[in-house]
Amino acid sequence: MAHTILLVQPGRKPETRTYSDYETVNECMEGVCKIYEEHLKRMNPNSPSITYDISQLFDFIDQLADLSCLVYQKSTNSYAPYNKDWMKEKIYVLLRRQAGK
């Protein structure tokens, strides 16, 4: 699979930028879900369990100042950038596949 770098900027200030890297695109998309789950835990500290649907996750993604990823392309030995919409499609496919198990 392709090494993937996740770039996140939750707020308008550049100082809020962070990055993480993953071995695969799917691991990266799971990482985005985990970021949202951590956000929900911070917002609901007294809740014993957290549930959400995909539309809430996508709203969270849309409200981030910036979210993108760079995916390694072996054929060109370089990284290709992908935006929020591409990532939402990958997350949708991933979650649908997980729900089918």
Side-chain angles (χ1 to χ4, degrees):
M1 285 306 225
H3 182 255
T4 305
I5 301 169
L6 177 66
L7 306 169
V8 183
Q9 183 177 339
R12 283 192 269 152
K13 294 182 178 181
E15 305 86 66
T16 65
R17 291 179 185 152
T18 60
Y19 77 93
S20 359
D21 67 314
Y22 301 89
E23 291 301 312
T24 67
V25 170
N26 278 352
E27 284 180 17
C28 180
M29 298 308 112
E30 288 172 2
V32 173
C33 293
K34 293 223 183 321
I35 289 169
Y36 180 55
E37 290 163 7
E38 290 301 318
H39 167 76
L40 289 176
K41 287 178 188 174
R42 281 193 306 277
M43 301 305 287
N44 304 285
N46 298 323
S47 184
S49 65
I50 302 288
T51 59
Y52 61 92
D53 65 38
I54 198 161
S55 66
Q56 293 168 307
L57 172 60
F58 287 177
D59 288 345
F60 173 77
I61 289 171
D62 289 337
Q63 65 88 28
L64 293 171
D66 192 21
L67 179 73
S68 56
C69 66
L70 302 169
V71 181
Y72 182 70
Q73 309 294 310
K74 190 174 184 178
S75 60
T76 59
N77 198 31
S78 64
Y79 285 84
Y82 292 96
N83 63 16
K84 289 179 183 180
D85 289 334
W86 182 87
M87 294 174 72
K88 288 193 286 189
E89 176 62 29
K90 292 294 182 189
I91 289 169
Y92 175 77
V93 170
L94 174 71
L95 294 178
R96 198 174 72 196
R97 194 174 298 140
Q98 287 178 348
K101 287 185 178 179

